[in-house]
Amino acid sequence: MSIIYSIDLIGTFVFAISGVMTGISKKFDIFGTLVLGFVTAIGGGTLRDMLTGALPVAWIQDINYVILIIAALPMVYLFQKQILKLRKTMFLFDSIGIGLFTVLGVQKTLALGLSPIICILMGAIGAVFGGVLRDTLSNEVPLIFRKEIYATACLLGGTIFYFLLQLAIPIYVAQSISIFIVILIRILAVRNHWSLNFNK
Amino acid sequence: MSIIYSIDLIGTFVFAISGVMTGISKKFDIFGTLVLGFVTAIGGGTLRDMLTGALPVAWIQDINYVILIIAALPMVYLFQKQILKLRKTMFLFDSIGIGLFTVLGVQKTLALGLSPIICILMGAIGAVFGGVLRDTLSNEVPLIFRKEIYATACLLGGTIFYFLLQLAIPIYVAQSISIFIVILIRILAVRNHWSLNFNK
Amino acid sequence: MSIIYSIDLIGTFVFAISGVMTGISKKFDIFGTLVLGFVTAIGGGTLRDMLTGALPVAWIQDINYVILIIAALPMVYLFQKQILKLRKTMFLFDSIGIGLFTVLGVQKTLALGLSPIICILMGAIGAVFGGVLRDTLSNEVPLIFRKEIYATACLLGGTIFYFLLQLAIPIYVAQSISIFIVILIRILAVRNHWSLNFNK
């Protein structure tokens, strides 16, 4: 659980950076930028917890999340150029983030006794909804609605995670495999321009 | 309650179809389209349940809703042309849907001991908020804010339902009358271009 | 608590008026306008209460809020011209509103045993999120993301309120000072065009 918790915090931090970068590129002021960082980092988990009644939501009870999100603001501002060069690293971190949030979400909601399909759905919602809120607040059609396989990677990863949990393997192996699969699908999808369009 | 439950599922299915049709017309990918179907079908009830603290929300505990919403995707994709021809049928189903969700919402929140005005309001929110979310996510000003009497039909139907409940008539009679009134107002409003605009 | 409650209702009423005015200027119909009034008036407190699990949300249990919000509609419609002339008065009331909602939010969440930083954050969310929802629903980039110091005033006022609570002064003194500081920062920020932009 300690490793998971660490990577969870890293994921939160990376999503916060992505939100802050959007805020700066949209010329939001400092507060607006911070809000976008927040929303991107905690939006998904918050919706998941509100839907399942796991209230108060997790980040309200653990100050580390808030500290990391606030820390993302000076980080991005000071190292703007370097971070833009690190785009590929960012993309990898983002993929790690959604992979981890998927697994965490599935695990957390299974523990509430909800049915598997719902749990996989909650895993995907927790992973991607932060980005949906970020785009809605900055007045864009959420990218997730137009882009390469993104939430689909979470749904697949969550499904695999659920079936791995039925086998007699240690949980951290199931977690690692599932997170890896989400990341792999994401990388392959972007590299090969996979999409799920109806037309053409 | 069994008839109500059946029509509730039908309402969910019809709203899912409306969301899926919007997604296809907006050229969202398959996942985005499915999300719009989901949001349209369960958005209203979810907000109502979150506001009143009836958590976890209903569809999380009953897999039938999720199955029906997912089923809407291939349905619309395969029968696109026929469904477009069925526009009037769709409109009728949609009206049945908001009528039923209004009555269900009022009944559910009265059972929580909330005051009548709040319950009628919750009935309307449960009926119409799915469409508001659908439009916001697809970057439109929610149609409900510009269109013919829509939520107003729910508020009127909910009010009538509340007063009928005070009379010594069987509950299913009160339900049927109220649902019928919502549908009737809706049909008359669209046919006669009724609206509540301030200017002219 | 009685004075606080009165000003809380006044704040709700003023925010409702601001939402209704937006709805009229956007040519929403009567229902859409009323919804905007609602959302602006209760959006912030609702999000705060949902995040912290204080459900059902407050306005659902106290009909006075709903009555005041509905009353805002004929008020604005009948006195449109006068209200537009009263812009400065409106601005002052709005500032009083966010000041009060900040203090109420901090106090309410501290009572739940949450950590101080979270409580100050919840105070600011309760004060400003209604306006964010109003702008998102009317398809604008939330003004708060572009404008003069607004939420920042709430964060500062909330922080000061928290520290004042640690001193041996009566709570109403701490409340009054903090509300006054939010109002003062707001007035100075608008008068002097203070902002927190990254560039220039």
Side-chain angles (χ1 to χ4, degrees):
Chain A
M1 194 58 202
S2 169
I3 293 172
I4 287 286
Y5 180 64
S6 306
I7 314 179
D8 186 16
L9 290 178
I10 294 171
T12 300
F13 188 53
V14 170
F15 279 137
I17 286 175
S18 128
V20 166
M21 287 176 76
T22 304
I24 290 177
S25 75
K26 287 263 172 184
K27 311 212 175 192
F28 284 16
D29 71 8
I30 289 178
F31 175 78
T33 302
L34 197 53
V35 168
L36 267 198
F38 242 97
V39 157
T40 310
I42 55 87
T46 299
L47 178 61
R48 184 196 63 220
D49 290 349
M50 290 203 297
L51 290 172
T52 57
L55 299 176
V57 296
W59 59 270
I60 277 184
Q61 295 168 310
D62 181 349
I63 198 69
N64 289 332
Y65 294 94
V66 175
I67 291 170
L68 274 176
I69 295 167
I70 292 173
L73 186 73
M75 257 282 298
V76 175
Y77 190 54
L78 292 175
F79 302 107
Q80 263 188 73
K81 283 179 195 168
Q82 289 83 340
I83 285 174
L84 287 171
K85 278 189 204 142
L86 286 171
R87 275 207 145 219
K88 280 194 181 165
T89 319
M90 285 287 300
F91 165 74
L92 187 62
F93 268 65
D94 179 78
S95 302
I96 295 170
I98 61 168
L100 195 85
F101 283 172
T102 299
V103 164
L104 280 181
V106 173
Q107 208 170 316
K108 196 170 171 183
T109 46
L110 279 174
L112 296 173
L114 300 170
S115 79
I117 292 182
I118 294 294
C119 294
I120 292 162
L121 201 62
M122 289 296 128
I125 286 174
V128 307
F129 203 78
V132 171
L133 283 177
R134 176 196 60 209
D135 296 338
T136 303
L137 284 177
S138 54
N139 210 21
E140 301 282 338
V141 171
L143 274 178
I144 188 185
F145 287 159
R146 298 189 179 276
K147 270 277 191 128
E148 303 93 354
I149 287 161
Y150 189 76
T152 312
C154 302
L155 291 172
L156 287 173
T159 306
I160 287 162
F161 180 58
Y162 173 72
F163 284 111
L164 288 177
L165 285 181
Q166 314 307 312
L167 307 177
I169 56 172
I171 190 160
Y172 67 86
V173 174
Q175 290 169 334
S176 307
I177 293 176
S178 310
I179 294 166
F180 178 73
I181 285 173
V182 173
I183 297 168
L184 192 68
I185 295 174
R186 232 355 236 148
I187 290 173
L188 290 175
V190 168
R191 188 165 291 175
N192 303 320
H193 302 289
W194 286 351
S195 70
L196 292 171
N197 287 326
F198 288 104
N199 316 312
K200 174 83 176 20
Chain B
M1 194 57 201
S2 171
I3 294 172
I4 286 285
Y5 179 64
S6 307
I7 314 179
D8 186 15
L9 290 178
I10 295 171
T12 300
F13 188 54
V14 171
F15 279 136
I17 286 174
S18 127
V20 166
M21 288 175 76
T22 304
I24 290 177
S25 75
K26 286 262 171 184
K27 313 212 172 190
F28 284 15
D29 71 7
I30 290 177
F31 175 79
T33 303
L34 197 52
V35 168
L36 267 198
F38 242 97
V39 157
T40 311
I42 53 88
T46 299
L47 179 61
R48 182 195 62 220
D49 290 349
M50 291 204 297
L51 290 173
T52 56
L55 298 176
V57 297
W59 60 270
I60 276 184
Q61 295 168 310
D62 181 349
I63 198 70
N64 290 332
Y65 293 94
V66 174
I67 291 170
L68 275 176
I69 294 168
I70 292 174
L73 186 73
M75 257 283 297
V76 174
Y77 189 55
L78 292 175
F79 302 108
Q80 262 188 74
K81 284 179 195 165
Q82 289 83 339
I83 285 173
L84 287 172
K85 278 188 205 143
L86 287 170
R87 277 210 143 217
K88 281 194 182 165
T89 319
M90 285 287 301
F91 166 74
L92 187 61
F93 268 65
D94 179 78
S95 302
I96 295 170
I98 60 167
L100 195 85
F101 284 172
T102 299
V103 164
L104 280 182
V106 173
Q107 209 170 316
K108 198 171 171 183
T109 46
L110 279 174
L112 295 173
L114 299 172
S115 80
I117 292 182
I118 294 294
C119 295
I120 292 163
L121 201 62
M122 290 295 129
I125 287 174
V128 308
F129 203 77
V132 171
L133 283 176
R134 177 197 59 210
D135 297 338
T136 304
L137 284 177
S138 54
N139 210 21
E140 301 282 338
V141 170
L143 275 179
I144 189 187
F145 286 158
R146 297 186 181 277
K147 269 276 191 133
E148 303 92 356
I149 285 162
Y150 188 76
T152 312
C154 302
L155 291 173
L156 286 172
T159 306
I160 287 161
F161 180 58
Y162 172 72
F163 284 111
L164 290 176
L165 284 181
Q166 313 308 312
L167 306 176
I169 56 172
I171 190 159
Y172 67 85
V173 174
Q175 289 169 335
S176 307
I177 293 175
S178 310
I179 294 166
F180 178 73
I181 285 173
V182 173
I183 297 169
L184 192 69
I185 294 174
R186 224 8 226 144
I187 291 173
L188 290 175
V190 168
R191 187 165 292 176
N192 303 319
H193 303 288
W194 286 350
S195 71
L196 293 170
N197 287 326
F198 287 104
N199 316 313
K200 179 67 178 17
Chain C
M1 194 60 201
S2 171
I3 293 172
I4 287 287
Y5 179 63
S6 308
I7 314 179
D8 185 16
L9 290 178
I10 295 171
T12 301
F13 187 53
V14 171
F15 279 136
I17 287 175
S18 127
V20 166
M21 288 175 76
T22 304
I24 290 177
S25 74
K26 287 263 172 186
K27 311 212 175 192
F28 284 16
D29 71 7
I30 290 178
F31 175 78
T33 302
L34 197 52
V35 168
L36 267 199
F38 242 96
V39 157
T40 310
I42 55 87
T46 299
L47 178 61
R48 183 196 63 219
D49 290 348
M50 291 204 296
L51 290 173
T52 56
L55 298 176
V57 296
W59 59 270
I60 276 184
Q61 296 168 311
D62 181 350
I63 199 70
N64 289 332
Y65 294 95
V66 175
I67 291 171
L68 274 176
I69 294 168
I70 293 173
L73 187 73
M75 256 282 298
V76 174
Y77 190 54
L78 293 174
F79 302 107
Q80 264 188 74
K81 284 179 195 167
Q82 289 83 339
I83 285 174
L84 287 172
K85 277 188 204 142
L86 287 170
R87 276 206 144 221
K88 280 195 182 164
T89 320
M90 286 287 300
F91 165 74
L92 186 62
F93 269 64
D94 180 78
S95 301
I96 294 170
I98 60 168
L100 195 84
F101 283 173
T102 299
V103 164
L104 280 181
V106 172
Q107 208 171 317
K108 197 171 170 182
T109 46
L110 279 174
L112 295 173
L114 300 171
S115 80
I117 292 181
I118 294 294
C119 294
I120 292 162
L121 201 60
M122 291 295 129
I125 286 174
V128 307
F129 203 77
V132 171
L133 284 176
R134 176 196 59 209
D135 296 338
T136 304
L137 285 177
S138 54
N139 210 22
E140 301 282 338
V141 171
L143 274 179
I144 188 184
F145 286 159
R146 296 189 180 277
K147 270 275 192 132
E148 303 92 354
I149 286 162
Y150 189 76
T152 312
C154 302
L155 291 173
L156 286 173
T159 306
I160 287 161
F161 180 56
Y162 173 72
F163 283 111
L164 289 176
L165 285 181
Q166 313 308 312
L167 307 176
I169 56 173
I171 190 160
Y172 66 86
V173 175
Q175 290 169 333
S176 308
I177 292 175
S178 310
I179 295 166
F180 177 74
I181 285 173
V182 173
I183 298 169
L184 191 69
I185 294 174
R186 225 7 227 142
I187 291 172
L188 291 176
V190 168
R191 188 164 290 175
N192 303 319
H193 303 287
W194 286 350
S195 70
L196 293 170
N197 288 325
F198 288 104
N199 316 313
K200 173 79 180 20

